[in-house]
Amino acid sequence: MGGHLNIVIRGTGASVPDHVITNDHFASYLDTSDEWILSRTGIKERRKIADDKTVLDLALEASRLALEDAKMTPDELDLIMVCTATPETQVPATACWLQHELGISGENGIGTFDLSAACSGFIYGLVFASNIIQGGNYKNVLVVGAETLSRITDSQDRSTAILFGDGAGAAIISRSEDPEQGILYNELGADGSRAKAIWMPAGGSRDPASIRTVNERLHNLRMNGREVYKFAVLKMQQLIVEALERTGHVADDLAMIIPHQSNRRIMDSARERVNLPPEKMAVNIDRYGNTSSASVIMAFDEARRDGRLKAGDLVLIVAFGAGVTWGSALIRL
Ligand code: ACO
């Protein structure tokens, strides 16, 4: 929990691969159907990265668009943070590759690092960036949520293969001169006792890659969908209610709520808990599936660009993800 962080989201951008994967694609080789997937998750299609592209390509395009939107050049950045569960490489951080691609690497290069909080990643990143800026030593921080979940999803597992999509979003967070602007309230949390609810068993130092781990398909996400679902429904509702209650706001004050795009039913139950009309909730899960750390910033970027969000609006972003982790931020734009 934290007090007012006086920041402004100065620019945003998003990027998805061109290749569309429909529900019928999965129905062609798995025991599933378009009807099942759409009614249980709200997903119609998702994007998949081409074999010769990587998460860095998505992060770079989203970052360039965010810089353009903020009318800034890369050399005005102080710090780069990439929130991802599917990094370009285990070592070094995706943010180091991104810094170089942005043309600002070198002996006096700015600090760069990756942040691992799965689907809550962007909210963790935004809150950290804002606290760092509030500290006074940094002015402009690039926060990216970028994922290629298709690279770690088991195409033969019908309960996860259908859920995830690839994409990236980026935001430039800067110090604000307007005392009303910024993050009015935030909450970050985690429950490590639920680590195996969504996890990738091998590939870390616990069980490094070997012929055995590849043969046993241990480099893919494993998920207990039912456990995650039950936890997420309650947590998302609780995060929204607490953010409003603790700041003395009511749902009508919100221009929009932007939830992590995990499952349309989880999102709707959170929205209905505070009687918010459907048009006030950002939705991109129908077109992009669950893009993990990218989902919130991709939806935020879309709402800004099509005019649903503007300066002065109050917006609530909420997410949960592997860890399990969760986060919320009530923002005055
Ligand atoms: N097509 C048809 N049937 C399916 C499919 C599918 N694609 N997937 C699962 N089923 C089956 C199950 O096998 C089960 O069959 P059974 O009763 O014979 O065992 C049946 O459907 C019901 O399973 P449930 O898990 O209860 O189905 P549910 O309605 O909950 O939907 C889903 C499954 C969509 C995975 C849901 O549990 C969910 O969305 N969970 C949350 C996942 C999530 O939000 N993850 C986010 C975090 S991810 C991250 O941080 C990277």
Side-chain angles (χ1 to χ4, degrees), residues 31-32 36 40-41 118-119 158-159 162-164 198 223 225-226 228-229 262-263 265-266 290 292 320-322:
D31 182 13
T32 189
W36 193 97
R40 297 294 185 106
T41 70
C119 306
R158 67 177 179 173
S159 68
I162 57 146
L163 282 182
F164 299 112
I198 314 164
M223 182 178 76
R226 241 169 259 186
V228 176
Y229 189 94
S262 55
N263 181 315
R265 290 185 293 145
I266 297 174
N290 177 347
S292 192
F320 70 93

Side-chain angles (χ1 to χ4, degrees), residues 118-138:
C119 306
S120 314
F122 180 78
I123 299 184
Y124 267 63
L126 172 68
V127 170
F128 280 126
S130 303
N131 273 290
I132 286 167
I133 289 167
Q134 196 75 24
N137 291 324
Y138 295 85

Side-chain angles (χ1 to χ4, degrees), residues 292-310:
S292 192
S293 68
S295 85
V296 167
I297 180 58
M298 281 170 57
F300 186 97
D301 176 67
E302 188 171 58
R304 267 184 94 233
R305 284 176 190 267
D306 68 19
R308 278 175 296 155
L309 284 179
K310 54 188 184 319

Side-chain angles (χ1 to χ4, degrees), residues 220-295:
N220 293 317
L221 276 185
R222 300 269 171 98
M223 182 178 76
N224 181 337
R226 241 169 259 186
E227 181 190 345
V228 176
Y229 189 94
K230 277 193 225 149
F231 177 83
V233 163
L234 292 177
K235 185 49 85 177
M236 294 290 266
Q237 293 183 2
Q238 184 193 340
L239 286 168
I240 294 170
V241 169
E242 281 179 5
L244 293 174
E245 279 182 4
R246 295 196 184 171
T247 55
H249 283 98
V250 292
D252 273 354
D253 297 338
L254 294 172
M256 270 192 115
I257 175 170
I258 305 184
H260 168 48
Q261 312 281 311
S262 55
N263 181 315
R264 184 66 200 254
R265 290 185 293 145
I266 297 174
M267 295 155 61
D268 280 335
S269 82
R271 176 181 60 72
E272 285 160 8
R273 174 72 179 76
V274 290
N275 293 322
L276 207 67
E279 62 274 16
K280 280 198 171 187
M281 181 175 78
V283 177
N284 69 23
I285 190 170
D286 52 338
R287 290 159 288 145
Y288 303 131
N290 177 347
T291 54
S292 192
S293 68
S295 85

